Amino acid sequence: MFGYYLDLAFHSLRLNKVLTALMVLAIAVGIGASMTTLTVVHLLSGDPLPGRSQFIYYPQVDADTKGKDSKEPLDMLDYQSAVDMWNAKRADRQALTVQSMVRLNPGDAVKSPVLTMMLSTTTDFFTMFDVPFRYGGPWSGQDDVARSRVAVITDDLNQKLFHGENSVGRTLRLRDSDVRIVGVLKPWRPSPQFYAVRGGRFADGDTSDFYSKPENIITPFFSGLEINDGNFQQFTCWHLPERAGHLVNSPCAWVALWVQLNDASKVADYRRFVADYAAQQMALGRFTHAGNTRMRSLMEWLDFNGVLPGDVRLQAWLAVAFLAICLLNTVGLLLAKFLRRSGEIGLRRALGASRVSVFAQYMVEAGMIGLIGGAFGWLLTLLGLWLIRQQPVAYADLARLDIPMFTLTFLAAIGASLMAGLLPAARACRVVPAWQLKTL
């Protein structure tokens, strides 16, 4: 029976090509616009560490002498607090992080030095965040303590400087220091760049920079501080540092600490540790208040910072509204198309076709329009994502259609067309046969 309905649907669609084209166009444009923006939302709002994010936490204490327990603590830690908690080794893994712009000498007499982003962190960073390596591997914990002059570089930088060859053992010149490459990453593009997220609640929706590419150079935390001393940016300061950019032991928050806690009891223990640390620092006179501590999970931290850019959120709502308008137009076109065939419906009913059969026939026709519209909508979605990749936004290179969204494109198109076909099909199956037969 389904095959028979398909034959009827093909015949009906060929019978009025202009009306069919208008309905397909309405579905395609609506699906293309909505799936383009929903794909971007899907890519930007996903879990950056699937399967691991539930074990990753971001502890906060408030060293700001002007702060209060009634307010949110600072989004970053002061140097001493961060290093104290890292040295305590109370988590399964812990990583200090700080970003800075550094001068890189390519080592080629023809090429000029360039400025590039450098991440200074500790060795657990790579295991905690499941960072993939193409060559070599991370430095050791001993390298962290010994402040070794070593580095890990990204695949992009390795392609530019060494044409993709195994560069482990080669040397980079960072400012006035030589560092030895110990590892080269595979292409790694977390979305968002979660370990650098902070201050989102002050960004007023302008959070595109959270989707920037990872830093090209990664060095041991303390080595990076020495190499690039004087070039670090504070998140905030409660007093002016003695020398701008020289932030070690300054009255500023500028370091992040991430910890991995593998079960609920360790989470509870670490919360107590953070609270006890703040109380201890207050007793020592370094903190003025001790009750302002937090420890959010990774996904809670991203949600707290509202990482999804406000313009993307607005575009998604506009696209869904546009799809609704396209569906309303499709409803009108289907209603006109189905009711123009009232005579045919009356004849089928007179020959014994039930209302359910008539309803099913027209729903199959509506679904076929959705399938064809979905195919064109898929092409329009690819075009929309290509246009986004041409835009000067940090997440542009992420705008690609993955398999789940490809599947959703067709499901949404068929589902939308079936919804649009419900009212016209219901009206069509209520046609009174006797009245229509008189008009034939």
Side-chain angles (χ1 to χ4, degrees):
M1 187 59 74
F2 183 71
Y4 174 62
Y5 291 156
L6 282 179
D7 285 340
L8 290 177
F10 270 123
H11 176 73
S12 173
L13 294 179
R14 285 198 302 266
L15 204 60
N16 194 330
K17 295 178 182 176
V18 174
L19 202 55
T20 300
L22 288 174
M23 290 186 289
V24 168
L25 182 63
I27 294 289
V29 172
I31 288 295
S34 59
M35 292 309 298
T36 297
T37 55
L38 291 178
T39 297
V40 174
V41 171
H42 163 69
L43 294 171
L44 300 190
S45 59
D47 184 345
L49 281 178
R52 304 177 70 90
S53 59
Q54 67 270 31
F55 305 120
I56 305 299
Y57 289 84
Y58 189 74
Q60 295 169 267
V61 295
D62 193 358
D64 184 358
T65 55
K66 301 175 183 175
K68 297 178 180 177
D69 285 344
S70 58
K71 295 182 178 180
E72 279 288 333
L74 299 174
D75 284 19
M76 301 188 78
L77 302 174
D78 62 293
Y79 175 83
Q80 184 174 336
S81 299
V83 173
D84 284 348
M85 290 196 286
W86 177 77
N87 275 328
K89 307 294 183 188
R90 298 289 294 270
D92 293 298
R93 292 190 177 94
Q94 45 265 309
L96 297 166
T97 64
V98 65
Q99 291 81 20
S100 61
M101 189 75 77
V102 68
R103 187 180 73 244
L104 167 65
N105 189 332
D108 186 334
V110 179
K111 296 180 180 177
S112 302
V114 295
L115 290 176
T116 188
M117 288 301 295
M118 179 176 77
L119 171 67
S120 301
T121 185
T122 47
T123 185
D124 280 352
F125 175 89
F126 301 98
T127 309
M128 281 174 64
F129 300 149
D130 198 24
V131 183
F133 278 83
R134 184 182 297 284
Y135 304 117
W139 57 82
S140 66
Q142 184 58 36
D143 287 324
D144 278 328
V145 177
R147 308 189 176 202
S148 301
R149 294 293 195 263
V150 294
V152 169
I153 64 173
T154 61
D155 182 66
D156 279 350
L157 186 61
N158 192 51
Q159 293 288 344
K160 290 176 183 174
L161 297 183
F162 306 109
H163 309 291
E165 298 174 354
N166 185 351
S167 57
V168 172
R170 306 280 290 267
T171 300
L172 288 178
R173 184 80 176 165
L174 301 179
R175 293 189 72 191
D176 301 322
S177 301
D178 288 332
V179 298
R180 177 172 52 87
I181 298 173
V182 295
V184 178
L185 301 184
K186 289 181 179 177
W188 183 56
R189 185 70 168 93
S191 170
Q193 192 184 7
F194 55 89
Y195 57 85
V197 168
R198 79 273 314 210
R201 57 196 163 117
F202 308 115
D204 197 23
D206 185 13
T207 54
S208 297
D209 287 345
F210 289 160
Y211 296 88
S212 300
K213 294 181 179 178
E215 299 77 7
N216 276 322
I217 300 168
I218 308 175
T219 64
F221 181 78
F222 299 104
S223 307
L225 299 193
E226 291 180 350
I227 291 169
N228 211 22
D229 186 29
N231 290 286
F232 291 92
Q233 294 290 323
Q234 68 274 13
F235 177 77
T236 189
C237 295
W238 44 97
H239 297 295
L240 286 177
E242 293 182 3
R243 294 183 297 163
H246 301 267
L247 301 180
V248 173
N249 294 322
S250 67
C252 300
W254 58 291
V255 180
L257 172 67
W258 290 93
V259 298
Q260 178 178 329
L261 303 164
N262 291 337
D263 59 55
S265 64
K266 291 180 179 177
V267 174
D269 287 344
Y270 205 88
R271 287 189 198 280
R272 282 194 293 273
F273 163 69
V274 173
D276 291 345
Y277 175 79
Q280 178 195 55
Q281 295 302 306
M282 184 173 175
L284 293 173
R286 198 168 72 85
F287 285 9
T288 57
H289 50 289
N292 201 13
T293 64
R294 301 283 190 283
M295 193 174 77
R296 294 179 170 90
S297 67
L298 170 58
M299 295 308 291
E300 289 172 339
W301 179 245
L302 297 183
D303 184 56
F304 176 72
N305 279 277
V307 294
L308 188 65
D311 57 340
V312 172
R313 202 187 304 268
L314 176 62
Q315 289 167 16
W317 282 112
L318 291 176
V320 171
F322 183 65
L323 175 62
I325 293 172
C326 291
L327 285 182
L328 287 176
N329 282 311
T330 305
V331 169
L333 292 170
L334 281 172
L335 199 58
K337 181 180 177 64
F338 290 173
L339 293 184
R340 283 177 61 184
R341 293 156 62 189
S342 297
E344 174 193 327
I345 297 169
L347 182 59
R348 287 198 61 211
R349 291 290 314 282
L351 292 175
S354 65
R355 286 183 173 178
V356 173
S357 298
V358 173
F359 182 81
Q361 174 194 335
Y362 286 108
M363 289 304 289
V364 168
E365 186 171 334
M368 185 169 291
I369 292 170
L371 182 62
I372 300 171
F376 285 101
W378 167 60
L379 294 175
L380 290 176
T381 301
L382 293 179
L383 175 64
L385 293 176
W386 179 82
L387 290 173
I388 290 176
R389 289 199 293 276
Q390 312 311 309
Q391 302 302 310
V393 290
Y395 55 80
D397 63 303
L398 295 170
R400 299 182 187 279
L401 194 67
D402 57 14
I403 292 177
M405 295 307 291
F406 170 80
T407 306
L408 183 61
T409 299
F410 283 91
L411 292 178
I414 295 173
S417 63
L418 290 177
M419 286 177 57
L422 279 175
L423 176 62
R427 292 285 302 273
C429 70
R430 290 183 178 177
V431 168
V432 179
W435 294 356
Q436 299 303 322
L437 290 176
K438 290 178 182 177
T439 64
L440 294 177

